[in-house]
Amino acid sequence: MFQNPDTLWIEILAIVLIVAFLAFMIGRYIYKRVHHQPTGECACCAKKKNALVKEYKKHYSKD
C-alpha cells in the first residue's frame, strides 16, 4: 500500500470512499436514535405496523 506512485490516487480514493460510507452509516444510525425512529430489526416492521393500526382504527371506528 502506498508504494506505487501510479496507483496512489486510487488507494487514496478507496480510503476516502470507505471512510465516507462508514460515516454515512454511523450518521444515519445517530439520526434515527435522536429522532426516536426504530433501528435494527424493528425498522422494517414499524412501517407495516403503523399502516396496519391506521387501517384497523379506520375500519373499527366508534361511529
Side-chain angles (χ1 to χ4, degrees):
M1 186 170 193
F2 298 122
Q3 294 182 4
N4 188 355
D6 296 334
T7 62
L8 183 64
W9 67 273
I10 295 173
E11 294 171 358
I12 292 172
L13 180 65
I15 291 171
V16 167
L17 290 175
I18 291 169
V19 169
F21 177 75
L22 291 175
F24 171 75
M25 296 299 287
I26 293 170
R28 187 174 67 170
Y29 178 77
I30 292 171
Y31 176 84
K32 286 184 175 186
R33 296 293 294 182
V34 168
H35 289 92
H36 305 290
Q37 295 177 350
T39 57
E41 293 180 16
C42 294
C44 64
C45 299
K47 293 178 185 175
K48 294 177 189 176
K49 177 196 65 100
N50 291 337
L52 184 61
V53 169
K54 189 175 182 179
E55 183 180 336
Y56 176 82
K57 286 181 180 179
K58 183 179 178 181
H59 189 267
Y60 294 106
S61 63
K62 293 185 178 184
D63 291 335

